[in-house]
C-alpha cells in the first residue's frame, strides 16, 4: 500500500506511527479486550487516557495552573457563539478580520452584542495581516478576537496585537502546536484539532480560570457554558472519546520529536523549501506578502485558471492529494502541518519544477 502525500487543509495528515499504534490497539486497548471506541468514558481506563492527554498538552505548551484545558465538541465554529455568550459582559468586543473564519466569528458575535471590526485586510483579499500595534480598541471591550493563522489565505500573525490591556482570544486551529507559544498572553486559545493534532470532532479550549463564571448571557444553554465543562473536567456528557485518544497519541509524538521548538524548526525548514521555489519560479507564485506568510498553509497560483486545474489534476495522479485551493480563492494550496514529512515537500517542489518545464 502506497500512501499519498496529503496536503489537505483539514481533516489532514497525521503521523504514521500514531496511525499504526492506533491500528494495533483498535481491537484491544492494552489488554482490556475492547477498543477505545467502545469503552465507557466513565471507566478508569478512559479516565487515564483523557487525564494523560491533558497532562502531556500542558507540558508541551507550558500551560500555567490558572488555565483550564477543555476537550469539547462543535468544532471551532461553535466557539464563535460560545465565546461571546460567556465573555460579553459589557456586550462589546473587538474583532480583527483577517479571513473567512474571523469574519464568521465577528458576524456571530454581533448577534450577542456590539462586535466592532477594528481592523481588516479584506481590501487585498486577506493577503496580509494589518498593523495591530495601535488599534482603536474599545474602552469597554470584553475581549479582542483574532484568528491567528488563516488556513484559506495562508497568513499568520508574527506579532500579537496590542490589545491595550483587553483579554486576547485566539482561534489557532491551523497553527496549533506548530511552534512554542506563551499561553499567558491570551485569555483563550482554542482550535479544532483536525489540522495538526487529531481527527475531526474535537475542539480544544485553553481558558484562563477567571473567565469561567456563572455570569453568562441570559439564555446561554447549559452545554455552551465553559463552567459546565470546566466543573466536569470535560466529562459533562460523552466527549469525542476516540478523537481525544488520538490527540493524546499525537501529544506523545510531539514530545518524542523534541517538543514545540523542534516542531517550529521542522516547519520552518519545510516552508522554506516551498517558499524559496515559489520566489524564483517563473510559473508559480505565492499570494501572501512575505512578512505575513504562514508556515502551515501555502497558497499559490500560476495566473491561469486552466493551468491551475491542469496542475491539480496531474499532481493528484502523481500522488499529491488535496492541492486545490479553497473554493473562495481558487488556485492551489499546500497545507504542510506538523505530520507532513520534509520528503513530501521536497517531492512536491520537484513535481512543480517538472510541471513548470513542461508548461513554460
Amino acid at each position: 500500500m502506497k500512501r499519498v502525500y496529503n496536503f489537505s487543509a483539514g481533516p489532514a495528515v497525521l503521523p504514521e506511527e500514531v496511525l499504526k499504534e492506533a491500528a494495533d490497539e483498535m481491537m484491544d486497548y492494552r489488554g482490556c479486550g475492547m477498543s477505545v471506541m467502545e469503552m465507557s468514558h466513565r471507566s478508569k481506563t478512559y479516565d487515564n487516557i483523557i487525564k494523560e492527554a491533558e497532562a502531556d498538552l500542558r507540558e508541551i505548551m507550558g500551560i500555567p495552573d490558572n488555565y483550564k484545558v477543555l476537550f469539547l465538541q462543535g468544532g471551532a465554529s461553535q466557539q464563535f457563539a460560545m465565546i461571546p455568550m460567556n465573555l460579553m459582559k459589557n456586550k462589546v468586543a473587538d474583532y480583527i478580520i483577517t479571513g473567512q473564519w474571523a469574519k464568521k466569528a465577528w458576524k456571530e458575535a454581533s448577534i450577542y452584542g456590539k462586535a466592532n471590526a477594528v481592523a481588516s485586510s479584506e481590501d487585498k483579499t486577506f493577503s496580509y495581516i494589518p498593523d495591530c500595534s495601535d488599534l482603536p480598541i474599545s474602552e469597554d471591550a470584553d475581549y479582542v478576537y483574532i484568528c491567528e493563522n488563516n488556513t484559506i489565505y495562508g497568513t499568520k500573525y508574527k506579532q500579537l496585537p496590542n490589545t491595550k490591556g483587553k483579554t486576547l482570544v485566539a482561534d489557532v486551529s491551523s497553527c496549533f502546536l506548530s511552534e512554542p507559544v506563551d499561553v499567558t498572553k491570551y485569555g483563550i486559545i482554542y482550535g479544532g484539532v483536525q489540522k495538526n493534532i487529531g481527527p475531526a470532532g474535537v475542539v480544544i479550549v485553553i481558558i484562563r480560570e477567571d473567565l469561567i463564571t456563572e455570569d453568562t448571557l441570559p439564555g446561554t444553554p447549559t452545554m455552551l457554558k465553559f463552567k459546565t465543562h470546566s466543573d466536569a473536567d470535560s466529562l459533562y456528557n460523552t466527549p469525542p472519546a476516540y478523537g481525544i485518544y488520538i490527540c493524546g497519541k499525537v501529544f506523545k509524538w510531539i514530545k518524542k520529536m523534541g517538543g514545540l521548538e523542534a516542531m517550529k524548526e521542522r516547519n520552518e525548514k519545510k516552508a522554506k523549501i516551498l517558499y524559496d521555489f515559489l520566489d524564483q519560479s517563473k510559473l508559480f507564485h505565492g499570494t501572501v506578502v512575505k512578512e505575513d506568510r504562514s508556515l502551515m498553509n501555502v497558497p499559490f497560483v500560476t495566473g491561469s485558471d486552466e493551468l491551475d486545474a491542469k496542475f491539480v489534476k496531474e499532481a493528484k495522479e502523481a500522488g499529491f492529494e488535496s492541492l486545490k485551493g479553497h473554493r473562495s480563492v481558487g488556485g492551489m494550496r499546500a497545507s504542510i502541518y506538523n505530520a507532513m514529512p520534509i520528503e513530501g515537500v521536497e517531492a512536491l517542489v520537484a513535481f512543480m519544477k517538472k510541471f513548470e518545464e513542461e508548461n513554460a
Side-chain angles (χ1 to χ4, degrees):
M1 174 209 68
K2 186 181 182 319
R3 280 178 56 85
V4 297
Y5 286 122
N6 176 12
F7 292 93
S8 170
V13 60
L14 284 166
E16 278 196 19
E17 62 186 80
V18 166
L19 296 175
K20 283 176 181 157
E21 211 176 284
D24 288 345
E25 293 175 348
M26 177 54 86
M27 299 296 286
D28 177 12
Y29 177 73
R30 298 184 184 175
C32 73
M34 61 175 138
S35 169
V36 174
M37 226 179 250
E38 307 168 290
M39 161 184 307
S40 164
H41 61 295
R42 304 284 178 206
S43 67
K44 184 80 191 92
T45 308
Y46 190 75
D47 196 53
N48 287 339
I49 290 172
I50 193 168
K51 283 200 167 66
E52 202 168 303
E54 179 182 335
D56 285 338
L57 180 61
R58 283 184 176 278
E59 184 186 328
I60 293 165
M61 290 181 75
I63 300 172
D65 291 345
N66 65 323
Y67 282 74
K68 281 276 193 181
V69 174
L70 308 176
F71 294 99
L72 306 178
Q73 296 171 76
S77 297
Q78 185 156 288
Q79 293 304 311
F80 299 170
M82 200 161 168
I83 284 158
M85 283 176 165
N86 285 267
L87 263 56
M88 256 193 183
K89 317 291 189 204
N90 299 324
K91 297 231 177 159
V92 181
D94 289 350
Y95 280 69
I96 301 167
I97 317 290
T98 50
Q100 190 170 303
W101 301 113
K103 196 173 180 180
K104 283 187 170 175
W106 167 63
K107 283 187 169 162
E108 189 75 11
S110 62
I111 297 169
Y112 303 101
K114 189 166 183 270
N116 305 303
V118 291
S120 169
S121 53
E122 194 163 9
D123 61 332
K124 292 185 180 160
T125 332
F126 301 120
S127 60
Y128 70 101
I129 298 288
D131 178 1
C132 297
S133 57
D134 186 19
L135 296 171
I137 303 294
S138 313
E139 294 260 318
D140 52 351
D142 291 301
Y143 59 89
V144 177
Y145 182 102
I146 62 169
C147 179
E148 197 164 320
N149 187 86
N150 297 282
T151 324
I152 296 173
Y153 303 95
T155 59
K156 163 85 164 69
Y157 285 80
K158 301 293 159 75
Q159 220 171 350
L160 293 176
N162 173 6
T163 64
K164 300 183 178 172
K166 303 296 180 190
T167 296
L168 179 64
V169 174
D171 174 353
V172 298
S173 295
S174 54
C175 60
F176 224 155
L177 302 187
S178 63
E179 58 183 20
V181 59
D182 180 355
V183 176
T184 63
K185 290 183 173 169
Y186 307 79
I188 295 181
I189 305 184
Y190 79 88
V193 303
Q194 69 275 12
K195 299 169 186 297
N196 236 351
I197 306 175
V202 184
V203 60
I204 296 173
V205 176
I206 299 159
I207 176 170
R208 209 174 57 226
E209 282 179 347
D210 62 286
L211 299 172
I212 305 170
T213 66
E214 284 287 9
D215 178 22
T216 56
L217 294 185
T220 299
T222 304
M223 274 294 285
L224 295 188
K225 292 177 178 175
F226 287 128
K227 194 164 182 356
T228 301
H229 301 286
S230 172
D231 287 353
D233 293 327
S234 302
L235 294 168
Y236 175 76
N237 68 327
T238 310
Y242 194 78
I244 295 166
Y245 153 78
I246 299 287
C247 292
K249 290 204 174 300
V250 173
F251 301 152
K252 293 246 182 273
W253 175 79
I254 289 173
K255 280 169 66 171
K256 187 178 150 192
M257 298 295 284
L260 297 189
E261 283 294 349
M263 283 296 139
K264 183 181 190 207
E265 216 173 289
R266 263 170 62 107
N267 291 329
E268 284 176 340
K269 210 167 165 186
K270 286 186 298 190
K272 187 176 186 322
I273 293 167
L274 186 46
Y275 284 126
D276 281 355
F277 170 70
L278 289 172
D279 287 343
Q280 59 82 50
S281 169
K282 303 265 188 295
L283 178 63
F284 298 100
H285 60 271
T287 57
V288 172
V289 303
K290 275 190 182 179
E291 59 271 23
D292 298 329
R293 285 170 165 176
S294 167
L295 293 179
M296 298 284 99
N297 312 99
V298 184
F300 56 96
V301 293
T302 62
S304 151
D305 291 348
E306 291 73 36
L307 264 186
D308 286 355
K310 184 180 188 220
F311 174 80
V312 170
K313 180 177 179 292
E314 290 182 11
K316 188 177 171 69
E317 286 161 5
F320 301 99
E321 192 62 46
S322 302
L323 282 166
K324 193 174 191 290
H326 190 272
R327 60 188 177 277
S328 65
V329 290
M332 284 75 67
R333 169 183 52 182
S335 293
I336 48 177
Y337 298 122
N338 285 352
M340 169 59 66
I342 198 158
E343 298 78 33
V345 182
E346 289 168 341
L348 173 63
V349 167
F351 177 79
M352 288 168 80
K353 281 179 179 157
K354 182 169 158 282
F355 184 89
E356 180 166 335
E357 282 158 20
E358 291 166 0
N359 294 275

